[in-house]
Amino acid sequence: MNIIKIGGSLTYYIKPLLESLKSYKREEIIIIPGGGKFADTLREIDKNLSLSPSISHKLAIKCMDILGEVFSDIGGIKAYDNLFDLKREIKKERIAILLPSKLLLSTDISEHSWNVTSDSLTLYISKFLNVKNIIIATDVDGIYDKYPEGKLLNIIKADMIKGLTAVDEYFPTLLKSLNKIAYVVNGKYPERIIDILEGRNTICTKIIP
Amino acid sequence: MNIIKIGGSLTYYIKPLLESLKSYKREEIIIIPGGGKFADTLREIDKNLSLSPSISHKLAIKCMDILGEVFSDIGGIKAYDNLFDLKREIKKERIAILLPSKLLLSTDISEHSWNVTSDSLTLYISKFLNVKNIIIATDVDGIYDKYPEGKLLNIIKADMIKGLTAVDEYFPTLLKSLNKIAYVVNGKYPERIIDILEGRNTICTKIIP
């Protein structure tokens, strides 16, 4: 089982990405949607009107559900709101989208803060699965030593990640505490994700605990 | 029972509006949220990537739920996802927010199209209630004979409404078929909504069937 978080920044590049992943079929793939512009709208409202942190957290997760349904419709990939059904059904299609609000709100497993976004939430979700690869697909090639105009890092230890990167603030700490590996990769090049699934070297950043 | 649809365009003016409505208490008020910028984001995705009309419809309604929870948090007004609980509880506080997705998706009462937005959906919801006034609160003073730079119409027959107005395309037809009256009013001036609730003349447009 592989878990691929697809960031909202890939919304307008989603069709070829989903088509490639759907036709891959050699490994089971669970897609976790980001919150995209829906979550950006919420963040802007929060910045201006100060929502309570718990409500921001809850609604940002609901934004992930909405983007998940968008991905489902565009990619022709079934979406599930629970792992029970998803794990049964993924055996057939080899790919499924998780609408994460039910799992995340019913377990209430994470801190209620904007430091925990869909990247970290993907790690929390991975706890409930027997995951081979955790892949964060975004619109940049990986993590850079500085950004912009830095050098792409092929590999980095979680606790060396600092400042503004392609993953959220809490992600490195959580990855380390889970003792997991994750890949940050540019989803505009679906072949790179396939490379990772196949165990080949590719353009991406591997984060080790 | 009065039903007030609060458009997303009022998001950044929402605090004084909700405060006034909350402290009014002489009449029961149900607030129906619009979809705001959340629905705008969806519409943009639909325009670029062509979602299926039913999914757009469903997700636009989910956007109303999200904005409803935002209003609930900012205004300190309880939100309900069903009329059973709302009607029991509104007796105490005199005001409540409806998160409409459960009602609208379970009944599937409306056409799946962008011609039917939260304005028309408010009319559909009004069918399940014994409603005194239907009020559409938006960020303009009402309906104009032309816009911009037209004259504000104090009263208009539903079938005289044409072109771009403060209400969605299907609203006039539906209002007429329901044989109801509705008011379009500027929510930046909460006192105008209170005027309508009190039966006083005010700056707004009254739409008659």
Side-chain angles (χ1 to χ4, degrees):
Chain A
M1 187 90 79
N2 299 275
I3 197 164
I4 304 179
K5 184 241 154 172
I6 300 184
S9 58
L10 292 168
T11 303
Y12 290 112
Y13 305 91
I14 201 65
K15 218 165 180 163
L17 174 56
L18 294 177
E19 270 165 20
S20 287
L21 297 177
K22 193 179 172 186
S23 61
Y24 178 61
K25 297 208 185 275
R26 292 184 52 181
E27 300 261 356
E28 286 174 359
I29 294 171
I30 298 181
I31 293 170
I32 313 285
K37 278 201 180 174
F38 298 102
D40 294 343
T41 295
L42 185 70
R43 203 189 279 251
E44 198 190 306
I45 292 174
D46 182 28
K47 212 177 273 176
N48 283 280
L49 301 174
S50 293
L51 300 174
S52 62
S54 294
I55 289 293
S56 291
H57 175 75
K58 176 182 169 184
L59 298 180
I61 288 172
K62 299 254 181 186
C63 289
M64 293 169 70
D65 279 8
I66 291 182
L67 200 61
E69 294 220 49
V70 165
F71 290 171
S72 170
D73 191 52
I74 293 170
I77 296 170
K78 280 198 189 145
Y80 300 88
D81 67 3
N82 68 86
L83 292 182
F84 182 92
D85 292 331
L86 184 149
K87 286 195 275 188
R88 277 168 58 93
E89 300 298 329
I90 202 171
K91 292 196 171 62
K92 292 179 223 153
E93 302 289 338
R94 315 287 287 162
I95 189 165
I97 293 169
L98 180 66
L99 308 178
S101 73
K102 213 175 252 187
L103 186 158
L104 291 171
L105 299 175
S106 65
T107 58
D108 195 23
I109 201 174
S110 74
E111 191 189 311
H112 301 177
S113 132
W114 284 107
N115 295 338
V116 176
T117 73
S118 50
D119 303 320
S120 290
L121 294 173
T122 297
L123 295 182
Y124 280 117
I125 292 165
S126 75
K127 288 188 182 193
F128 298 95
L129 293 160
N130 184 8
V131 175
K132 195 169 154 192
N133 293 292
I134 298 171
I135 298 171
I136 306 292
T138 180
D139 65 343
V140 294
D141 289 345
I143 295 177
Y144 293 81
D145 60 354
K146 54 183 182 177
Y147 191 82
E149 288 176 27
K151 217 183 94 217
L152 182 68
L153 300 164
N154 298 115
I155 188 162
I156 185 170
K157 274 187 73 106
D159 50 16
M160 297 298 287
I161 297 177
K162 277 172 198 99
L164 189 70
T165 71
V167 291
D168 69 44
E169 222 168 304
Y170 190 55
F171 187 89
T173 311
L174 185 57
L175 191 72
K176 205 182 161 179
S177 79
L178 296 176
N179 199 32
K180 298 256 190 191
I181 288 169
Y183 297 87
V184 179
V185 60
N186 194 333
K188 294 183 197 168
Y189 304 91
E191 64 278 13
R192 296 182 187 170
I193 297 179
I194 306 297
D195 285 338
I196 295 168
L197 295 173
E198 294 272 302
R200 286 191 294 263
N201 280 333
T202 194
I203 301 168
C204 71
T205 299
K206 183 176 181 175
I207 310 175
I208 56 173
Chain B
M1 187 88 78
N2 299 276
I3 198 164
I4 303 178
K5 185 240 153 172
I6 299 183
S9 59
L10 292 169
T11 302
Y12 290 111
Y13 306 90
I14 201 66
K15 217 163 180 166
L17 174 56
L18 294 178
E19 270 164 20
S20 283
L21 296 177
K22 194 179 172 186
S23 61
Y24 179 61
K25 297 206 184 277
R26 292 184 51 180
E27 299 260 357
E28 286 174 358
I29 295 171
I30 297 181
I31 293 170
I32 314 284
K37 278 201 179 173
F38 298 102
D40 293 343
T41 295
L42 185 71
R43 203 189 278 252
E44 198 191 305
I45 292 174
D46 183 29
K47 213 177 268 174
N48 284 279
L49 301 173
S50 293
L51 300 175
S52 62
S54 294
I55 289 291
S56 291
H57 175 76
K58 176 182 169 185
L59 299 181
I61 288 171
K62 297 255 181 186
C63 289
M64 293 169 70
D65 279 8
I66 291 181
L67 200 61
E69 293 219 50
V70 166
F71 291 172
S72 169
D73 191 51
I74 293 170
I77 297 169
K78 280 199 189 145
Y80 300 88
D81 67 4
N82 69 86
L83 292 183
F84 182 90
D85 291 330
L86 185 149
K87 284 195 277 188
R88 277 168 56 94
E89 299 298 330
I90 202 171
K91 292 193 171 65
K92 291 179 225 156
E93 301 289 339
R94 314 288 285 162
I95 189 164
I97 293 169
L98 179 67
L99 307 179
S101 74
K102 213 175 251 186
L103 186 158
L104 291 171
L105 298 175
S106 65
T107 59
D108 195 24
I109 201 175
S110 74
E111 192 188 311
H112 301 179
S113 131
W114 285 107
N115 295 338
V116 175
T117 73
S118 50
D119 302 319
S120 290
L121 293 173
T122 296
L123 294 182
Y124 280 116
I125 292 165
S126 75
K127 287 187 181 192
F128 298 94
L129 293 160
N130 185 8
V131 174
K132 195 168 155 192
N133 293 293
I134 297 171
I135 298 171
I136 307 291
T138 181
D139 63 344
V140 294
D141 288 346
I143 296 176
Y144 293 80
D145 60 355
K146 54 183 181 176
Y147 191 81
E149 288 176 26
K151 216 183 95 219
L152 182 69
L153 300 164
N154 297 116
I155 188 161
I156 185 171
K157 273 187 73 108
D159 50 16
M160 297 299 287
I161 296 176
K162 276 172 199 98
L164 187 71
T165 70
V167 291
D168 69 45
E169 222 167 304
Y170 190 55
F171 187 90
T173 311
L174 184 58
L175 191 73
K176 203 181 163 179
S177 79
L178 295 176
N179 199 32
K180 298 256 189 192
I181 288 170
Y183 297 87
V184 179
V185 60
N186 194 334
K188 294 182 199 169
Y189 304 90
E191 64 277 13
R192 296 182 188 170
I193 297 180
I194 306 297
D195 285 339
I196 295 169
L197 295 172
E198 295 271 301
R200 286 191 293 263
N201 280 334
T202 192
I203 299 167
C204 71
T205 298
K206 182 177 185 174
I207 311 176
I208 57 174

